[in-house]
Amino acid sequence: MTGRVRAAAAAAALAAALLGAGAPGVAFAAPAVPAAPPVAAATSGECTASTRITEPVTALGELQSEAAWAITRGAGVLVAVVDSGVAANPHLANAVVAGVNLVPDGTDPSGRTDAYGHGTAIAGQIAARRISGSGVEGLAPEARILPVRVFAGTSDQDVDAGFGPDVRRMAAGIRYAADRGAQIINVSMSTVGAEPGLAEAVAYATARGSLVVSTAGNRDATLSMEEVDDDGSRYPAGFPGVVGVAAADAAGVVTDASIHGPHVRLAAPGQLVATSSAAGGDCVYAADSPATSYAAAYVSASAALVAAAHPDETPAQWTYRLEATAVRTDPDRRDDVAGWGVVQPYDAIALVPGSGLRGPASPFVEGGTALPAAADSAAVRVSAETSADAQAIRVGVTAGIGGLVVLATLGALGVYVARRAEPSETRVAPAGRGMFGDAPGG
């Protein structure tokens, strides 16, 4: 977010929330990173209703979008965006349902006002539809968005008026989203304190079948109401059942731009994010460094795809799919930098859980504990059919810690992925780095 809210103003607003994002409205031309999409505007704040980014969204390739979309595009899933509202944008014309405005500023009661621009960007990452002349699209482009407006902005004027980020409104927004039946609740905000009311709201949402996804927090103190940039838990990410998300940069590395801690469970792309803007067109955000707000949006979209593919499962089971299949070098280990690794939604969708899969404790296994790696070879497999004549994806258990291999023998240690499919015109090979893959770094 732009500007630092003074400590006194933060106290007046309960010193509660940190927006985990780069400044909305930042557009740029001729970026130094070759993978960055071109934009029409050249300087900060110049994205307009006519701004169009014609290139495909780079992050979607890293997130296995084409392979996942051969199975589901998120239809039937409602994703709540607890944020600054969601403004009108052609990418979101058929994506947004009536929500709520919890900010007492007299604007649209359905949450369709977004003077700050952050919530509109998040909504576009999740569910933007393709429009003519633009390559921008969300990762779950058939999901629906429920706008839950809980703050108007972060300026001193907004904070002094009581319209800034507020932990009580954040908690109320989570409860509202759960009551409206949102399967996924994106909260791209965080606070240092484990506020009881916020914890209760998260527990309430989880009990009602919602998965809460939140930011790990950003290092840059200019993005925070609280002058705290030390590592350590942030909330709601640190509460049980919440997926806390760190941000990977344009090279796929989770850097010190994200707060590290035990609350980090996954990572996702969070830099050079091309999405919808509150001005009505396209824009690129987080140009200078990765921001956890945008990373959280991609994890929410990934969760929406998983929920659409497995509607009878619980939030804990959706989370397990995402964590167990995330990209990391050590299948057995999470860390405080990238959690279980960078999310890979196709692999999460295709996973058939079993007792032999290495990684996080499994809610599919009785007792919720992971069993030894050297389980029987039938215990773990990944399968998905993207067309009638597409072959099943197979996972076997092999020895060593090498890359993906075709199942041949059962080794003493290790669970690895083997994929085999006969040619099919309709089959889309998964992009990204496959199950486990390379560590995101950092």
Side-chain angles (χ1 to χ4, degrees):
M1 292 182 174
T2 57
R4 181 175 302 173
V5 180
R6 302 294 186 268
L14 299 183
L18 156 66
L19 256 292
V26 176
F28 61 97
V33 180
V39 296
T43 61
S44 176
E46 291 188 5
C47 291
T48 68
S50 61
T51 302
R52 294 289 181 267
I53 298 170
T54 58
E55 296 299 315
V57 177
T58 304
L60 296 184
E62 289 297 307
L63 294 169
Q64 302 180 307
S65 60
E66 292 295 335
W69 292 344
I71 302 170
T72 179
R73 293 170 65 86
V77 175
L78 182 65
V79 182
V81 175
V82 179
D83 213 288
S84 60
V86 178
N89 184 291
H91 285 291
L92 301 171
N94 299 313
V96 183
V97 303
V100 68
N101 177 20
L102 299 178
V103 182
D105 61 353
T107 58
D108 188 329
S110 67
R112 297 309 307 271
T113 299
D114 186 11
Y116 189 68
H118 188 261
T120 306
I122 297 297
Q125 286 182 262
I126 297 167
R129 277 60 164 155
R130 289 292 295 270
I131 62 173
S132 177
S134 173
V136 166
E137 189 168 15
L139 180 58
E142 291 182 6
R144 294 175 300 145
I145 297 294
L146 174 70
V148 182
R149 188 171 183 257
V150 296
F151 75 100
T154 60
S155 68
D156 289 350
Q157 181 179 2
D158 285 324
V159 172
D160 290 343
F163 303 153
D166 182 289
V167 71
R168 291 172 298 184
R169 281 198 296 266
M170 189 196 309
I174 291 171
R175 285 179 174 272
Y176 173 86
D179 285 338
R180 285 291 305 274
Q183 292 99 319
I184 313 299
I185 302 176
N186 186 93
V187 185
S188 284
M189 306 170 65
S190 65
T191 179
V192 173
E195 299 287 342
L198 188 58
E200 291 168 4
V202 167
Y204 178 82
T206 300
R208 292 183 68 85
S210 301
L211 175 59
V212 180
V213 178
S214 189
T215 61
N218 294 324
R219 184 82 55 193
D220 189 344
T222 63
L223 309 182
S224 176
M225 288 184 62
E226 300 157 320
E227 300 293 328
V228 178
D229 63 357
D230 296 335
D231 286 331
S233 291
R234 300 294 189 268
Y235 300 92
F239 292 129
V242 180
V243 179
V245 184
D249 66 11
V253 176
V254 178
T255 71
D256 282 342
S258 296
I259 296 295
H260 309 323
H263 62 302
V264 179
R265 300 183 66 172
L266 284 169
Q271 188 172 11
L272 298 169
V273 175
T275 183
S276 52
S277 80
D282 304 344
C283 209
V284 171
Y285 303 100
D288 296 329
S289 65
T292 58
S293 272
Y294 304 121
Y298 279 135
V299 170
S300 288
S302 298
L305 294 175
V306 171
H310 301 282
D312 295 329
E313 293 182 359
T314 66
Q317 290 170 329
W318 298 334
T319 299
Y320 173 76
R321 288 178 174 277
L322 295 167
E323 292 178 345
T325 57
V327 170
R328 58 188 183 276
T329 52
D330 185 347
D332 298 311
R333 178 177 174 269
R334 71 159 293 282
D335 59 47
D336 286 351
V337 176
W340 287 105
V342 175
V343 68
Q344 297 283 270
Y346 171 80
D347 290 333
I349 291 167
L351 177 72
V352 177
S355 61
L357 185 61
R358 299 164 69 179
S362 173
F364 292 96
V365 177
E366 185 176 358
T369 57
L371 298 186
D376 69 274
S377 60
V380 182
R381 63 189 177 89
V382 175
S383 67
E385 293 183 3
T386 59
S387 66
D389 57 351
Q391 297 298 311
I393 295 175
R394 306 181 189 275
V395 173
V397 179
T398 62
I401 58 171
L404 302 181
V405 293
V406 177
L407 175 60
T409 59
L410 177 63
L413 294 171
V415 178
Y416 292 92
V417 180
R419 290 199 174 110
R420 183 171 61 209
E422 295 181 1
S424 169
E425 292 182 0
T426 59
R427 181 175 177 82
V428 183
R433 288 158 284 187
M435 192 153 69
F436 305 142
D438 297 326

